[in-house]
Amino acid sequence: MDSLGTGVFVPVSMLYFLAATSLTLVQIGAALTTAGLLALPAGPLVGGLVDRYGAKPVLQAANLAQALGFAGYLVVGQTWQIAICAWLNSAGRAVFFSCYGVTVTALAAPGQRERWFGLLGSVRNLGYALGGLLSAVAVTIGTHGAYAAIVVVNALSYVAAFVLMRAVPNVRPEAGQDAAGGWGRVLRDRRYLSLVAHQLCFAISLFVLNIAIPVYAVDVLKLPGWTAGAVFTLNTLMVGFGQGIVVGWLGGRIRSRVLVAGHACFAVGYLLFLAAVRVPAPALAVGVVLLGAGSYTFGEILGGPITSTVAAESAPDALRGRYLALNQLAVTVAGAVAPAALSGLLSNGPASVWLPLVGVSVLGAALATTIGKVVPAAQSRIGGV
């Protein structure tokens, strides 16, 4: 339910604000970045609460915060209003995924966690795919009412997710487990900090799908509006139906090496997006963009379940809430910086955005190699084979 609503809104988020307000692309990007920066403390602040009280109540509070934030999008018109509502969504999302990792790790047996992170990612992406189809219709219609309907659906999806989470057990650390050191212990763990740096690079690439690709395809390449929804739908269908198959096929392979391959796929996708600007025929340009989206998606499929598993297994049980909150902080930072950075780079031309992203992928591959040497969970083989 959560991903269905998000799937409707994410591909058209920037387009929605352009249609619903008189603000420019750069102003909107600045508002979303400000909200993301203000949301940075949310994940770390709740890490201790998760370790003490369990993930479920904190996760449900995040659902309600996001429902309120998206409802607010219906009435925004100024930069500061977008920033406030986006802050609720950014903070809620950061908290949600910190709790999500703790819950999955506790319920899934060792050796099966890539499979479960992959399966749940697939379910989430199938919801995104259904939402993407609806977003393509909304972009084609292009009216304010169509965009407003997207926001309403997303807000209601978070309410439904809150209700469904009532059936999930509240997992808490067992009594007597060593939680000594608290945040100081977490921040002194240099091996885990290298993993967080890698997570930052991976997360930057993940936000490209939400922010840069739709605007690039529609506003820069001047392709039909449905192209943005088609790219997002292709991505979610590939992840939804292919991720479990790929994780099974990767059984026995070293995790860090698969992460390197994922960053290579991201880089190839970015180069294809850059090449699309040189294609004169719109139909062929759409094909190049979809091919780039396919390569990009393979990067997500290869890296997604493994980054989640390595982050979770590298954290001690009693401090997993704090450790995963720190790891999620990298994702939140990427989400905070991405709107302003990517929109600003896009305004300077295709090469200005895609070549730096290739550089991010190269850095991510280098960090994956590093954690493969110093982080035991990254040295392990997928599936514990």
Side-chain angles (χ1 to χ4, degrees):
M1 292 303 299
D2 166 73
S3 62
L4 175 60
T6 302
V8 177
F9 184 76
V10 166
V12 298
S13 55
M14 299 295 280
L15 299 175
Y16 167 76
F17 290 119
L18 289 173
T21 71
S22 59
L23 302 176
T24 66
L25 180 64
V26 173
Q27 287 175 313
I28 295 167
L32 295 177
T33 291
T34 300
L37 291 172
L38 292 174
L40 291 179
L45 284 175
V46 303
L49 296 177
V50 172
D51 288 332
R52 176 172 295 185
Y53 300 109
K56 178 179 175 178
V58 183
L59 189 152
Q60 288 186 296
N63 283 144
L64 293 180
Q66 290 175 94
L68 181 60
F70 275 99
Y73 282 162
L74 293 171
V75 296
V76 297
Q78 303 296 324
T79 303
W80 66 269
Q81 293 171 336
I82 293 178
I84 291 174
C85 294
W87 173 77
L88 285 171
N89 293 326
S90 297
R93 191 166 184 80
V95 171
F96 175 88
F97 279 107
S98 296
C99 301
Y100 167 82
V102 173
T103 303
V104 174
T105 304
L107 297 179
Q112 296 294 315
R113 286 170 180 153
E114 289 101 345
R115 175 190 173 195
W116 283 107
F117 274 114
L119 175 62
L120 292 172
S122 296
V123 172
R124 207 164 51 241
N125 275 271
L126 289 174
Y128 292 156
L130 293 174
L133 292 174
L134 295 175
S135 73
V137 174
V139 171
T140 302
I141 297 173
T143 65
H144 183 271
Y147 288 127
I150 289 175
V151 176
V152 172
V153 169
N154 207 13
L156 292 176
S157 74
Y158 283 109
V159 176
F162 170 87
V163 175
L164 291 172
M165 282 303 302
R166 295 175 61 185
V168 176
N170 184 30
V171 180
R172 302 173 62 178
E174 296 179 4
Q177 288 186 336
D178 183 17
W183 273 110
R185 178 178 168 187
V186 176
L187 297 175
R188 288 191 299 269
D189 191 337
R190 294 183 178 180
R191 291 185 300 182
Y192 201 85
L193 292 178
S194 65
L195 191 154
V196 172
H198 170 266
Q199 178 69 72
L200 177 63
C201 290
F202 188 78
I204 289 173
S205 286
L206 293 183
F207 281 102
V208 171
L209 176 68
N210 302 346
I211 298 167
I213 299 176
V215 176
Y216 179 69
V218 176
D219 287 355
V220 178
L221 297 181
K222 305 301 181 183
L223 298 178
W226 55 261
T227 306
V231 166
F232 195 80
T233 301
L234 173 66
N235 171 272
T236 51
L237 288 176
M238 287 180 62
V239 175
F241 290 106
Q243 188 154 258
I245 297 172
V246 172
V247 170
W249 175 71
L250 291 173
R253 288 169 174 79
I254 296 175
R255 290 168 172 170
S256 63
R257 294 179 182 176
V258 177
L259 291 176
V260 171
H263 288 289
C265 289
F266 280 142
V268 171
Y270 299 146
L271 292 174
L272 286 169
F273 293 140
L274 178 59
V277 77
R278 301 289 185 181
V279 179
L284 291 177
V286 170
V288 173
V289 168
L290 292 178
L291 186 62
S295 179
Y296 169 94
T297 301
F298 273 114
E300 180 182 351
I301 289 173
L302 292 173
I306 298 174
T307 55
S308 297
T309 303
V310 171
E313 292 188 351
S314 299
D317 290 344
L319 291 173
R320 185 164 286 125
R322 292 177 175 88
Y323 268 82
L324 291 185
L326 178 63
N327 190 62
Q328 182 61 34
L329 180 62
V331 181
T332 308
V333 168
V337 173
L342 293 176
S343 59
L345 291 172
L346 275 171
S347 66
N348 292 321
S352 297
V353 65
W354 300 121
L355 292 182
L357 285 171
V358 171
V360 170
S361 298
V362 172
L363 177 59
L367 287 169
T369 302
T370 299
I371 65 174
K373 296 177 181 178
V374 301
V375 178
Q379 299 167 351
S380 301
R381 297 181 182 273
I382 295 173
V385 179

